[in-house]
Amino acid sequence: MKFSEAWLREWVNPEITRDELTHQITMAGLEVDDVDPVAGEFTKVLVGEVVECGQHPDADKLQVTKINIGEEELIDIVCGAKNCRLGLKVAVAVVSAVLPGDFKIKKAKLRGQPSFGMLCSESELGMAESAEGIIELPLDAPIGQCVREYLQLDDVIIDVDLTANRADCLGIAGLAREVAVLNSIEATQPTWENVAVSIDDQVAINLQAPEACPRYLGRVIKGINQNATTPLWMVEKLRRCGVRSVDAVVDITQYVLLELGHPMHAFDLSKLEGGIEVRLANQDEALTLLDGKEVKLNADTLVIADQSKALAMAGIFGGQDSGVQEGSTDIFLESAFFAPLAIAGRARSYGLHTDASHRYERGVDPLLQVTAMERATQLLVEICGGQVGPITEAVSEANLPKQATIELRRSKLDRLIGISIDAERVQQILTQLGCEVTETAEGWSAVAPSYRFDMEIEEDLIEEVARVFGYNNIPNIAPQAALTMPAHNESRLKLSKIRDVLVNREYQEAITYSFVDPDKQLKLHPEADALILPHPISKDMSAMRVSLWTGLLESVSKNQKRQQNRVRLFETGLRFIKDEQAENGIRQQAMLSGVIIGNVSDEHWSLETRAADFFDLKADLEAVLDLTVDDASFEFKAEKHSALHPGQSAGIYRNGVNVGYIGSLHPSLKKPFALNGQAIVFEIEVDSILTRQLPQAGDISKFPANSRDLAFVVDEQVNAGKVLKFIEKIGGSELVSINLFDVYQGQGVEEGKKSLAIGLILQDSSRTLEEQEIADSVSSIVEAVSTEFNASLRD
């Protein structure tokens, strides 16, 4: 949207500079793209009158003139413009004048005739890129006055890049409203006397598409002078808004569009057959546009038509056959409201974009049609004359946009803006924006003005208040955040650490369904009472899992079928156990499960090829248990399990409570799960391994450590782990380390017995231990182990 600063200041004239005005408009969200002068820089160009005009004796295309510029003597100027004639008021650049481009006017002779100046065209004054002749000033232009002052050329064209939601500013009236609000002043709108109705002629209007056009106004004006000259003040205002003057009728409709932001159109009354019909086009209906282009209309295009043909594309482009042309004396003036969705995209579908479509597809004020009609009528009669008929209106109130009523809460306004704006100022801003404002207990209730289509919700009002108050007036307040130490249980392990340990030991994490095949689950857990889904996805996914083994073993089988012979998988997830004491009768328990099958390592020339066994998986699980820093609380006890191989299974206990199982899969389950090789599995409750012991700081001994090795011969059934725990328990504070470094059965050891070689390290943090003290400690350990396990020292 281009507009003239001078025109805007006729409506509203705040006491701020041009730069301050453009900055203010930009900060309000109406971004100023460019500011250009309306004319070039020139000096000594005066208003003159042609008092003599004759043919140059030696040049057919030149005229010799005498010009009155208000001085004692007339000045001679040779001019080549075709429109130069006697009595014309012109712009005269006198000798020593400087025109745009630093062009200096000097005395000259043209084909032997003296010339003391130049009659200027618009292009020569930097007012247009090209011109067909010299400027024709109004006959009442004061002779001798500076042209810059007379035409008010100390003005600029401001180009504003409006967002699609601010169609209300696509006219001087809307821009003036905006500037008035930003400066807390009143805008002064132009006033005029509505033209009195002098004839009774009317044209009937029929709304056949009220959803697309809920309001249509028309007026007959007869006896206009189509050849009337558009006043210079109007031509200049149009030019400064980027619009070229065409003829008086078109210029007036364009002027109203720029002034009020409301498009209008005039038809030649003599070309209308019957009444006006506002309807949708017939598919492929032909229409020749004003520019001579013929289009085939789509059925979703709204048209203005008479009884026999389409006259114009509604809100987009007029038709050539019904347009006002040279010689037209009677016109039908149109002012309508078209729904934005009925116009949006239609112009582009025909390769068109007009000032009217640009406004209608964004929305115009549905209450502005009468005002626009009266303003255009007043200008037409003033410039072109004519007799005026009454306004004919067709309206569908049900389809007109309703003004939104929006509740604005003080609490939300303060929260989103970040500061509290005075209540009186908030109400003032909303009122100046055109809202009908009522105070409420929580804030304000505002009825949006008819021209603000973008005001619909509370956030819209908050944005308007912040925008008008000024974003730069909102103080920069650094956010404040209290740094409160969150509750953190340092002894609680993160599940991610457990995952990392297994991944580092070449496991892949699997995620399987919580629904499993009930038949396969029953083979693994015949004693389990599984939950059967009433409406399962399929039969093999109809039972809730009581263990993660079912899904993991199926994953192993799928991997083996794809030539993956070495598989190491783990999974963390929930199992579902019936429990009357739990919520909804179901206890959901987080479990960690793992399975290995195949060789211990990938094939390698330096490594022995060996199938993984129970102790390989047990070592991986113990690496997880090591994270708890509480090995002593865990114990593996030989136990039977329905899914595990007898003699190769163990229960996992922590502090005497069973928390899981580990072992080789029962041989009878290889075929149901289609497994190739021996699978070893484990499963343990996640909660049992998420609690760890925190290390206690202590002194590092400066004194030497003493090592002693003992070889106990015990029964083959004695658990070496129990022996180590017993020694650790009775060893006292001086025993700082214990290690089982050999288990031996064979020559030199009685059948049914085994030798456990155990290394002891004794140390004191306060002194060097005497040899006798060390011997006494070792003797007490040997005696206690001998008594507890019926052990003897190996020779």
Side-chain angles (χ1 to χ4, degrees), residues 556 559-568 596-599 602-603 676-678:
V556 170
N559 276 275
Q560 287 188 328
K561 289 175 182 177
R562 289 161 177 79
Q563 292 80 47
Q564 299 299 316
N565 297 320
R566 180 175 181 267
V567 181
R568 304 168 76 85
I596 61 173
I597 194 169
N599 293 333
D602 288 326
E603 289 186 9
N676 180 20
Q678 182 61 53

Side-chain angles (χ1 to χ4, degrees), residues 747-764:
Q747 185 178 0
V749 176
E750 185 180 348
E751 188 176 352
K753 301 283 187 177
K754 61 183 177 182
S755 171
L756 304 178
I758 300 172
L760 307 177
I761 297 179
L762 295 95
Q763 187 180 35
D764 193 283

Side-chain angles (χ1 to χ4, degrees), residues 620-781:
D620 294 334
L621 179 57
E622 285 177 333
V624 172
L625 302 183
D626 284 344
L627 294 174
T628 65
V629 197
D630 191 18
D631 295 345
S633 65
F634 287 95
E635 185 177 3
F636 292 84
K637 295 182 180 179
E639 284 187 10
K640 292 184 178 180
H641 188 283
S642 58
L644 302 179
H645 194 300
Q648 295 184 33
S649 65
I652 307 169
Y653 289 80
R654 186 171 194 184
N655 297 322
V657 179
N658 182 279
V659 293
Y661 287 90
I662 182 173
S664 299
L665 192 67
H666 198 286
S668 64
L669 297 174
K670 288 185 181 181
K671 186 175 181 180
F673 284 95
L675 298 176
N676 180 20
Q678 182 61 53
I680 305 98
V681 296
F682 79 84
E683 187 165 57
I684 189 168
E685 296 172 11
V686 169
D687 287 343
S688 69
I689 55 176
L690 290 184
T691 304
R692 62 178 174 178
Q693 280 189 346
L694 295 178
Q696 301 296 323
D699 294 334
I700 298 175
S701 178
K702 299 182 292 182
F703 302 97
N706 299 273
S707 61
R708 296 291 186 271
D709 294 338
L710 300 174
F712 291 103
V713 177
V714 296
D715 292 337
E716 190 177 5
Q717 293 77 20
V718 172
N719 189 308
K722 288 185 177 181
V723 176
L724 294 177
K725 288 183 179 180
F726 179 75
I727 294 174
E728 187 177 0
K729 181 179 178 181
I730 57 100
S733 60
E734 289 146 357
L735 180 63
V736 295
S737 178
I738 181 171
N739 178 42
L740 175 67
F741 62 87
D742 185 43
V743 177
Y744 173 74
Q745 286 180 285
Q747 185 178 0
V749 176
E750 185 180 348
E751 188 176 352
K753 301 283 187 177
K754 61 183 177 182
S755 171
L756 304 178
I758 300 172
L760 307 177
I761 297 179
L762 295 95
Q763 187 180 35
D764 193 283
S765 60
S766 60
R767 59 190 178 85
T768 300
L769 291 176
E770 299 289 342
E771 185 62 33
Q772 187 58 45
E773 291 176 307
I774 297 171
D776 291 344
S777 294
V778 171
S779 296
S780 64
I781 290 171

Side-chain angles (χ1 to χ4, degrees), residues 438-460:
T438 306
E439 287 193 40
T440 64
E442 293 186 343
W444 302 269
S445 177
V447 179
S450 57
Y451 48 81
R452 288 300 298 270
F453 282 77
D454 58 321
M455 287 189 187
E456 294 181 342
I457 59 176
E458 186 176 19
E459 286 77 5
D460 294 332

Side-chain angles (χ1 to χ4, degrees), residues 368-618:
L368 189 59
Q369 288 70 49
V370 174
T371 302
M373 178 68 80
E374 294 289 6
R375 178 58 164 161
T377 302
Q378 175 259 325
L379 291 170
L380 272 167
V381 172
E382 182 180 303
I383 296 170
C384 302
Q387 296 176 304
V388 177
I391 295 175
T392 305
E393 180 179 15
V395 62
S396 173
E397 294 287 350
N399 291 296
L400 284 171
K402 302 298 185 292
Q403 294 171 244
T405 301
I406 309 167
E407 301 298 322
L408 174 59
R409 292 166 290 174
R410 159 61 78 180
S411 57
K412 189 165 186 177
L413 176 68
D414 293 350
R415 178 166 59 84
L416 292 188
I417 294 181
I419 63 170
S420 180
I421 301 175
D422 184 70
E424 186 177 340
R425 176 62 176 144
V426 173
Q427 184 155 348
Q428 179 190 25
I429 290 172
L430 296 177
T431 303
Q432 288 181 325
L433 286 168
C435 299
E436 297 175 15
V437 186
T438 306
E439 287 193 40
T440 64
E442 293 186 343
W444 302 269
S445 177
V447 179
S450 57
Y451 48 81
R452 288 300 298 270
F453 282 77
D454 58 321
M455 287 189 187
E456 294 181 342
I457 59 176
E458 186 176 19
E459 286 77 5
D460 294 332
L461 292 185
I462 294 172
E463 179 185 4
E464 290 299 303
V465 172
R467 187 176 63 84
V468 175
F469 179 76
Y471 297 126
N472 53 330
N473 293 326
I474 298 175
N476 294 325
I477 302 174
Q480 295 181 351
L483 298 177
T484 304
M485 182 67 72
H488 176 63
N489 185 356
E490 194 175 355
S491 64
R492 186 79 173 173
L493 271 174
K494 291 183 179 179
L495 196 57
S496 60
K497 290 187 176 294
I498 295 172
R499 290 191 178 105
D500 289 343
V501 168
L502 291 171
V503 168
N504 289 337
R505 298 178 79 89
E506 298 185 315
Y507 283 75
Q508 302 287 334
E509 184 172 11
I511 300 175
T512 64
Y513 286 109
S514 298
F515 316 125
V516 297
D517 187 333
D519 295 335
K520 290 184 177 180
Q521 179 163 267
L522 195 62
K523 292 181 183 298
L524 287 169
H525 308 281
E527 75 290 348
D529 185 8
L531 296 161
I532 304 301
L533 300 176
H535 305 291
I537 299 173
S538 61
K539 182 182 181 301
D540 58 357
M541 297 181 69
S542 60
M544 300 297 289
R545 65 188 179 190
V546 297
S547 165
L548 276 59
W549 284 345
T550 309
L552 281 178
L553 292 173
E554 288 184 340
S555 295
V556 170
S557 175
K558 289 179 181 178
N559 276 275
Q560 287 188 328
K561 289 175 182 177
R562 289 161 177 79
Q563 292 80 47
Q564 299 299 316
N565 297 320
R566 180 175 181 267
V567 181
R568 304 168 76 85
L569 300 176
F570 79 93
E571 180 178 10
T572 57
L574 298 177
R575 68 175 180 179
F576 305 88
I577 308 296
K578 287 185 178 180
D579 188 344
E580 294 181 358
Q581 297 181 356
E583 186 178 358
N584 298 324
I586 303 172
R587 174 163 51 90
Q588 301 183 51
Q589 193 171 26
M591 304 297 291
L592 168 66
S593 293
V595 57
I596 61 173
I597 194 169
N599 293 333
V600 173
S601 61
D602 288 326
E603 289 186 9
H604 192 271
W605 61 271
S606 67
L607 298 176
E608 179 185 357
T609 300
R610 177 176 65 83
D613 59 20
F614 174 90
F615 293 101
D616 293 312
L617 183 65
K618 182 172 179 285

Side-chain angles (χ1 to χ4, degrees), residues 79 82 91 117 130 250 255 397 526 602 711:
C79 177
K82 293 181 180 180
S130 62
V250 173
Y255 181 83
E397 294 287 350
D602 288 326

